[in-house]
Amino acid sequence: MARLSQWVATAALVVSATAAAGPEATSHIEIQKQNNQSLYWGPYKPNLYFGVRPRTPQGLWTGLMWGNVDNYPEVQSNFRYTCEQGENIHGYGWDEYDARDGGIQSIHDDGNHIDITTSFVKIAGGEHGGSWAARIKGQVQDGAPADLKTMVYYYIAQEGDGKLVPQSTGDKLGIDGDIELKGDSKALGTYSITVTKGKGDHPEVQNQFSKIRTGDKTLLRSVQVADENLWQGKGLLYNQLQEAVKTLQDDIDIEDPPPAWQVYRLEHRPAVGNAHLVQKTFQGSFEFDVIFNSGSAGHTLGSDDVTKEIKKVSQSFSDRFKQVFELKAPFNGGKYDAFGKSMFSNLIGGVGYFSGAQLIDRSYADEYEELNEGFWEETARARARKAQQLEGPYELFTSVPSRPFFPRGFLWDEGFHLFPIADWDGDLVLEIINSWYNTMDEDGWIPREQILGAEARSKVPEEFQVQYPHYANPPTLFLVIEDFMKQLSNAKVSGNTKPSAGLRTAHLDNPEAGEEYIRKLYPLLRRQYDWFRKTQRGEIKAYDREASSSKEAYRWRGRTEELVLTSGLDDYPRARPPHPGELHVDLMAWVGLMTKSLMNIAGELGHTEDVAELKKNLAAIQQNLDDLHWSEKEGCYCDATIDEFEEHTLVCHKGYVSLFPFLLGLMNYDDPKMGKILDLIGDESHLFSPHGIRSLSKQDPYYETGENYWRSPVWMPINYLAVTKLHDVATHDGPFQNKARELYSQLRKNLVDTVYKSWVDTGFAWEQYNPETGAGQRTQHFTGWTSLVVKIMAMEDLPSSSTGKDEL
Ligand SMILES: *[C@@H]1O[C@H](CO)[C@@H](O)[C@H](O)[C@H]1NC(C)=O
């Protein structure tokens, strides 16, 4: 009897352990397998208003296009497919989105007088990532004619192997009911895709064409296209429309033309092919579904299921949002709720999957060593030799800074993107980090801007396409990985203290799997660290510099006279002219951050030799930051260079660069220098503005000059680092606690107010904000790192203390 009860007890334990993490998710590999299924499908073509594809190079991809067809001129000018800036759209994007279940996007298309809603749901099952459905709704805007005519297209393309066959052909004029295609490919197994007839009226007109061009039927044009051209959905459609228009041309009376919708109609020609264009013509509001049923899923979804799933997804999103981002005063009023949801959903809904070759210059030319005075002219000549070649294919699963303008992966943005996503779906973040480290080469280099495939390249001017393996970029992923490590070590001691959320928290619910993940990643982090220290090293001994450590000094490679693109802070003023003896304080701080993170991770993993070495490096970096970069006179950190007398000299431009050792947590709470840095942050005649911390001091000679990119505007990532660091100082004992508290409260409020107001006014988040007016500037729909605002709203409300007030 005793043995039986023992057996029962053990069995119960096993059950509870697996239940916490979702079905049978125990080992890292097992969890990864389940994540692969759960994250297989998504709106992973964020460059399109709505584009669904799987996370595999040769899958299926589908995209929505539409446009008004009331008048001829509008047919082309307001045609929508890829996200573009400056179109007459008052905001678009995901109001709610979860990478596991789906979400809802709305598009306020003023130019076409219609509001489009795309609801997307995923239903698990089978071996090929489950099924999904999209509901496309068009609602005629207030004030627009009720008989507004809209043409809607759905593009479906089977990449690589496999086939896709229409099941119904209708008659010559089109198809009356649903359209169904059946497919089969290695990546997807067997599947079907249905475009329903949906609801809505269709235009009608009695004229000579009314017998051959009716508005009530759905058209299907199937074609076979070379694989490398499949991405050009819009071009393909235009070609097909043009051909179809030709057949009418001779019969059209130019003085009295038929309505545009009758002319712009595809030939209805369903056939086997790898690209299929579905066309619908609506009059007034409309709705239809696109349903993808995976053959191995064991279910067949219909429109009723879609209705149910959309409701469910919306409810669970709202519940989880409340739990994960509990907005704190003064942002806990209802009006910030929709704003916060939209900012977060656009970030996570902007995650994309990219694959293809990229251009890399692997010449390792001598000039790229940047050893000589005048090195920036030598490197310009070396680049002009155009030694770049297409390399790959690579693949990358990543979020993007901005869907219309930067729909691709950027290394230094990505760390910031992952902060809010990590709170929501830690396992998604681990997948993304994995994907980035899979693009690292044997030396430890990661291309900083990943322009994969022809479609991605079509968006980037040629001179910015080439990646160079001596160019670095701020290693922001370390920030996120260290955060995960901290949560993991807590989970190992006391279990995951956050509520379990299925696969979203699987690696924390199973700390051993989490540790396995980190163990696998660690050598890659170490390789990247070693690459950084080797390739971006600065000179100390060659110029007889006085510093405690003769090793720790750093210089960004790849600068020109005006720009240091690799630093991420492009036109921020640096030493002039450039000099091979230059040292960059922001880079030294980034290396310090890597050292500290790696040391903590190595400690957790028990790599004691690494810990000892990294500890020594960190102490040397902290010491050299003061020895080589601190200016007592200016009261801040500065870059350094070599002057005309061959002497070490500081180059001080007060602004973001001056703050980096503080921002990245390399200063002690009682360091008197910290007081000076806080003074600089809080000084309105230098950096503090009602809209956040300025990138450059108002008193700097370069303030608002040139491109004025990082020379005055307020940027969210740096402000986010500042606000979190201020909170950290405010909540730890030390002489600057009160001052930090004041600055924290004010800055937190200024940042949220600014982004919120601009969002209400324009319908968009922006790349940067004007420090005087608070207006959003430059790139529109910048829901990459600007979305950090949702984390700032969820940060602690620390009301100003009455004594601290005077210190500001
Ligand atoms: C998950 O998917 C990736 C990319 O497709 C693949 O490399 C990996 O082996 C998969 N992992 C598991 C455990 O199936």
Side-chain angles (χ1 to χ4, degrees):
M1 274 322 270
R3 288 177 73 179
L4 180 61
S5 65
Q6 221 170 28
W7 182 85
V8 170
T10 321
L13 252 180
V14 171
V15 168
S16 75
T18 52
E24 289 171 37
T26 43
S27 75
H28 162 63
I29 290 297
E30 185 52 39
I31 294 172
Q32 198 186 49
K33 210 155 113 197
Q34 293 183 32
N35 271 323
N36 275 0
Q37 288 293 312
S38 160
L39 297 170
Y40 199 57
W41 286 100
Y44 293 150
K45 294 193 65 62
N47 59 318
L48 306 184
Y49 285 113
F50 185 66
V52 178
R53 68 162 298 160
R55 196 158 67 105
T56 184
Q58 307 224 304
L60 180 83
W61 68 267
T62 79
L64 178 69
M65 310 183 216
W66 73 94
N68 182 271
V69 278
D70 279 295
N71 306 299
Y72 279 92
E74 290 191 2
V75 169
Q76 292 221 2
S77 63
N78 284 331
F79 187 86
R80 314 294 189 203
Y81 179 48
T82 51
C83 300
E84 300 292 342
Q85 293 206 85
E87 290 192 324
N88 195 358
I89 290 184
H90 191 88
Y92 63 91
W94 296 95
D95 305 319
E96 305 173 349
Y97 192 74
D98 176 276
R100 310 288 175 167
D101 301 333
I104 298 170
Q105 173 178 237
S106 43
I107 302 165
H108 306 285
D109 188 350
D110 293 357
N112 287 313
H113 317 293
I114 196 150
D115 290 331
I116 302 274
T117 310
T118 63
S119 308
F120 173 72
V121 291
K122 305 206 292 182
I123 298 94
E127 280 103 57
H128 297 94
S131 303
W132 58 268
R135 174 157 295 169
I136 317 294
K137 251 181 166 170
Q139 176 74 42
V140 175
Q141 287 183 343
D142 286 346
D147 65 349
L148 190 84
K149 288 163 199 63
T150 308
M151 207 75 102
V152 189
Y153 304 89
Y154 206 81
Y155 179 51
I156 304 164
Q158 166 75 60
E159 296 172 303
D161 76 297
K163 58 181 195 295
L164 191 49
V165 186
Q167 297 302 294
S168 39
T169 51
D171 59 25
K172 249 183 12 210
L173 300 180
I175 294 173
D176 227 348
D178 299 351
I179 285 188
E180 194 190 1
L181 299 144
K182 283 214 155 121
D184 190 353
S185 81
K186 213 178 333 165
L188 303 173
T190 59
Y191 64 90
S192 73
I193 183 159
T194 304
V195 181
T196 66
K197 178 175 167 66
K199 300 175 202 161
D201 294 334
H202 308 280
E204 236 183 284
V205 66
Q206 289 302 324
N207 62 13
Q208 65 177 125
F209 303 112
S210 58
K211 291 253 156 46
I212 50 169
R213 303 232 157 175
T214 55
D216 58 338
K217 294 201 175 173
T218 304
L219 305 174
L220 176 60
R221 178 75 170 103
S222 308
V223 278
Q224 185 68 32
V225 184
D227 245 18
E228 65 268 24
N229 294 330
L230 275 180
W231 66 272
Q232 291 170 316
K234 181 175 163 181
L236 188 70
L237 172 68
Y238 274 29
N239 286 346
Q240 294 306 321
L241 282 176
Q242 234 160 31
E243 266 183 36
V245 169
K246 266 191 219 146
T247 63
L248 278 193
Q249 232 156 20
D250 293 344
D251 302 325
I252 290 179
D253 174 4
I254 298 289
E255 298 300 312
D256 182 23
W261 69 262
Q262 254 190 354
V263 174
Y264 292 98
R265 293 186 75 68
L266 291 169
E267 250 184 284
H268 178 63
R269 223 197 276 175
V272 178
N274 60 351
H276 303 266
L277 289 153
V278 178
Q279 179 178 26
K280 288 174 177 291
T281 318
F282 290 107
Q283 177 167 294
S285 299
F286 61 86
E287 172 184 319
F288 64 94
D289 296 340
V290 179
I291 304 172
F292 175 94
N293 274 305
S294 174
S296 64
H299 56 229
T300 307
L301 304 170
S303 285
D304 290 347
D305 304 306
V306 178
T307 306
K308 259 185 254 153
E309 292 296 329
I310 293 173
K311 258 202 204 112
K312 214 166 78 188
V313 162
S314 188
Q315 187 58 49
S316 70
F317 177 87
S318 280
D319 294 346
R320 185 154 172 78
F321 188 85
K322 258 190 228 114
Q323 190 187 84
V324 173
F325 299 110
E326 194 197 324
L327 307 186
K328 310 284 190 330
F331 309 113
N332 47 355
K335 70 174 183 171
Y336 294 98
D337 210 46
F339 168 62
K341 283 179 177 171
S342 163
M343 294 299 287
F344 174 71
S345 299
N346 280 303
L347 174 65
I348 191 170
V351 169
Y353 171 84
F354 304 88
S355 69
Q358 62 180 328
L359 279 172
I360 299 180
D361 175 349
R362 292 262 183 203
S363 63
Y364 299 99
D366 287 344
E367 291 90 333
Y368 294 150
E369 303 278 326
E370 302 190 2
L371 295 175
N372 305 322
E373 288 188 24
F375 68 84
W376 67 97
E377 286 155 351
E378 294 175 4
T379 53
R381 284 194 292 273
R383 285 196 303 275
R385 292 200 294 264
K386 297 198 174 183
Q388 61 264 24
Q389 286 185 332
L390 279 174
E391 192 178 293
Y394 283 81
E395 57 180 321
L396 186 66
F397 187 46
T398 182
S399 38
V400 303
S402 156
R403 286 169 59 190
F405 207 69
F406 300 112
R408 54 188 174 274
F410 284 76
L411 182 56
W412 104 280
D413 295 63
E414 195 57 13
F416 292 106
H417 295 161
L418 296 185
F419 277 126
I421 299 179
D423 292 344
W424 184 274
D425 192 332
D427 269 52
L428 170 61
V429 164
L430 297 182
E431 285 290 308
I432 290 175
I433 289 172
N434 242 351
S435 182
W436 272 95
Y437 277 93
N438 278 340
T439 69
M440 187 167 78
D441 73 5
E442 281 173 9
D443 297 327
W445 171 70
I446 303 176
R448 71 185 175 90
E449 183 175 346
Q450 306 230 356
I451 311 163
L452 308 183
E455 182 175 24
R457 274 196 299 282
S458 74
K459 272 274 190 181
V460 187
E462 200 187 336
E463 73 259 38
F464 297 118
Q465 288 180 11
V466 185
Q467 303 298 304
Y468 298 89
H470 59 294
Y471 284 10
N473 208 207
T476 54
L477 293 176
F478 274 72
L479 286 162
V480 187
I481 297 165
E482 193 186 356
D483 262 13
F484 173 71
M485 191 71 230
K486 274 185 210 148
Q487 289 181 52
L488 188 63
S489 46
N490 287 339
K492 275 199 313 208
V493 178
S494 46
N496 183 16
T497 46
K498 290 185 187 170
S500 165
L503 279 170
R504 299 180 192 87
T505 52
H507 277 92
L508 284 181
D509 296 334
N510 297 273
E512 276 163 25
E515 186 174 319
E516 208 181 326
Y517 174 93
I518 291 286
R519 255 182 219 291
K520 278 191 169 164
L521 186 63
Y522 182 81
L524 304 182
L525 299 177
R526 177 75 217 207
R527 200 199 299 166
Q528 190 190 11
Y529 176 72
D530 292 339
W531 175 87
F532 243 95
R533 283 162 50 83
K534 199 171 93 199
T535 62
Q536 310 296 305
R537 188 166 287 288
E539 277 296 343
I540 297 180
K541 282 186 265 185
Y543 299 102
D544 286 331
R545 284 179 154 122
E546 285 174 31
S548 313
S549 152
S550 60
K551 274 204 206 137
E552 299 302 328
Y554 294 93
R555 169 164 70 106
W556 292 111
R557 298 307 195 269
R559 77 162 286 188
T560 64
E561 253 177 318
E562 286 295 323
L563 302 172
V564 189
L565 294 178
T566 47
S567 74
L569 309 172
D570 300 14
D571 64 341
Y572 192 97
R574 305 277 183 166
R576 272 170 195 255
H579 193 284
E582 214 173 311
L583 300 177
H584 299 125
V585 65
D586 52 329
L587 178 55
M588 175 103 111
W590 283 117
V591 177
L593 168 88
M594 291 173 100
T595 310
K596 189 158 59 92
S597 301
L598 208 56
M599 183 180 80
N600 292 336
I601 296 169
E604 289 292 334
L605 297 179
H607 298 323
T608 44
E609 276 178 27
D610 277 17
V611 173
E613 179 198 340
L614 293 162
K615 201 167 172 180
K616 227 174 68 197
N617 293 351
L618 182 60
I621 286 170
Q622 282 175 308
Q623 190 59 52
N624 272 12
L625 275 171
D626 293 346
D627 294 350
L628 293 169
H629 290 290
W630 176 258
S631 165
E632 193 56 35
K633 178 165 146 266
E634 300 288 345
C636 68
Y637 291 97
C638 306
D639 280 349
T641 192
I642 300 299
D643 66 14
E644 55 208 299
F645 312 108
E646 291 293 297
E647 296 284 334
H648 171 84
T649 185
L650 291 175
V651 181
C652 297
H653 294 282
K654 288 180 180 161
Y656 288 168
V657 160
S658 334
L659 311 177
F660 265 91
F662 168 74
L663 297 174
L664 298 179
L666 299 169
M667 298 180 79
N668 295 323
Y669 296 116
D670 59 358
D671 185 340
K673 293 192 287 305
M674 169 105 72
K676 298 248 170 93
I677 292 285
L678 295 187
D679 286 343
L680 174 58
I681 290 176
D683 189 336
E684 289 175 19
S685 72
H686 283 292
L687 300 188
F688 206 81
S689 93
H691 306 292
I693 300 171
R694 296 182 175 90
S695 36
L696 191 63
S697 162
K698 244 175 144 166
Q699 295 181 30
D700 194 275
Y702 290 94
Y703 188 72
E704 288 184 335
T705 60
E707 284 265 311
N708 191 23
Y709 199 38
W710 291 84
R711 293 184 180 183
S712 77
V714 172
W715 289 81
M716 187 53 81
I718 307 296
N719 274 278
Y720 173 75
L721 290 176
V723 86
T724 45
K725 210 25 84 181
L726 288 169
H727 180 265
D728 179 49
V729 176
T731 50
H732 281 87
D733 284 341
F736 310 113
Q737 214 176 347
N738 278 341
K739 183 177 275 170
R741 188 184 172 101
E742 290 301 317
L743 284 172
Y744 167 77
S745 297
Q746 196 57 54
L747 179 59
R748 174 172 175 261
K749 185 164 183 319
N750 290 352
L751 291 169
V752 177
D753 286 350
T754 300
V755 180
Y756 176 73
K757 181 171 183 303
S758 181
W759 181 78
V760 170
D761 289 349
T762 65
F764 289 104
W766 295 83
E767 184 176 14
Q768 46 165 246
Y769 292 87
N770 186 295
E772 310 308 323
T773 65
Q777 299 183 155
R778 299 202 57 134
T779 302
Q780 199 187 53
H781 205 295
F782 205 93
T783 47
W785 60 31
T786 299
S787 296
L788 284 164
V789 70
V790 70
K791 270 195 79 89
I792 298 177
M793 289 195 291
M795 284 175 81
E796 188 181 10
D797 174 33
L798 283 180
S800 303
S801 58
S802 51
T803 51
K805 203 86 193 156
D806 304 328
E807 287 182 40
L808 257 185

